[in-house]
Amino acid sequence: MSDLTFVSTNPGKAREIAAVLEPFGVRVKWYRRELPEPQAATLEEVVAAKLDAVRDISGRVLVEDSGLFIPSLRGFPGVYSAHFLRIWKFGPIFELLESRPRRAYFRTVAGLQEGRRRAMFVGEVRGSISDRARGRHGFGYDPIFIPDGWDRTFGEAPAEAKNGISHRARAVRKVGTAIAGGRPFGATARSRGALKTR
Ligand code: IMP
């Protein structure tokens, strides 16, 4: 087993990440800390800022940032997903989508750091926005997101089902694969879809 510290205030994310990394022999310690969320144009920029803010934590450290992107709303709420949900909940999205295509996708960028080395890993899941909130599982936008090929929302599905296909699980499985391959910051990680940031 190897250890990794996941830094976030979100227990739902910590649970998902621990479950996904366990089969890779990675034990996840959750470190509850508020991280900066700068107003940035991309998830990658937010993740870079979060990694800067966890430099004091030793060992392997993981942070991530995710968003719900709705192409018919020009990608909104996207990088503003957290702010939007806190203030408005789901109502305005349902209203705006009454006359627009309901396609949407979740995207996660996971950032892994150890000392001065870092790498980023991306995961996405495509689907559509439901006509009303359904289900009590998960968190955030889970009750309004129906993944392609499903007839229920993430909110109606048990954690294992969401982890099978979710944006976060896909990004974090790349992290697990890179760690299990022994070179999470090296050529192996890059060739598997990691973006090296320095
Ligand atoms: P952040 O990554 O914590 O900034 O998340 C942005 C927003 O998207 C927050 O409101 C989260 O609740 C929401 N969010 C992130 N990941 C998920 C997910 O897996 N399902 C549903 N909502 C999510």
Side-chain angles (χ1 to χ4, degrees):
M1 278 310 247
S2 66
D3 287 315
L4 177 151
T5 303
F6 174 61
V7 187
S8 166
T9 55
N10 186 324
K13 290 183 177 182
R15 260 193 305 276
E16 288 181 11
I17 285 173
V20 170
L21 285 179
E22 212 234 19
F24 292 95
V26 178
R27 190 174 27 226
V28 175
K29 284 187 295 176
W30 176 36
Y31 187 143
R32 193 173 201 291
R33 180 192 283 185
E34 194 95 40
L35 294 175
E37 289 231 12
Q39 293 292 316
T42 64
L43 297 178
E44 282 82 353
E45 287 172 66
V46 177
V47 170
K50 287 184 175 182
L51 287 176
D52 287 342
V54 297
R55 281 194 185 286
D56 59 308
I57 302 174
S58 60
R60 258 179 209 155
V61 185
L62 185 72
V63 301
E64 65 91 75
D65 202 66
S66 304
L68 175 70
F69 295 79
I70 303 177
S72 65
L73 304 181
R74 299 187 181 181
F76 195 78
V79 289
Y80 307 108
S81 293
H83 297 296
F84 184 84
L85 188 63
R86 251 192 310 271
I87 297 168
W88 297 104
K89 307 280 184 281
F90 305 136
I93 292 183
F94 289 142
E95 252 174 65
L96 288 165
L97 293 187
E98 270 170 20
S99 56
R100 294 178 176 83
R102 309 183 78 84
R103 300 287 304 156
Y105 64 93
F106 272 121
R107 183 166 201 262
T108 290
V109 175
L112 183 67
Q113 180 163 269
E114 188 171 8
R116 296 182 57 77
R117 295 176 301 169
R118 60 170 61 165
M120 293 193 193
F121 304 79
V122 178
E124 289 184 357
V125 59
R126 288 173 191 282
S128 57
I129 301 300
S130 59
D131 54 1
R132 62 188 169 84
R134 298 204 309 250
R136 292 159 180 265
H137 293 283
F139 61 94
Y141 294 93
D142 281 341
I144 67 165
F145 184 80
I146 305 173
D148 282 348
W150 287 29
D151 57 5
R152 57 183 177 169
T153 66
F154 268 157
E156 293 175 292
E160 309 81 64
K162 181 182 174 190
N163 274 347
I165 62 159
S166 83
H167 48 307
R168 182 167 303 97
R170 284 176 172 159
V172 172
R173 268 199 285 275
K174 289 181 187 171
V175 175
T177 302
I179 290 175
R183 298 188 59 191
F185 305 100
T188 313
R190 276 210 303 284
S191 67
R192 285 183 174 140
L195 311 169
K196 201 158 190 207
T197 56
R198 61 182 55 202

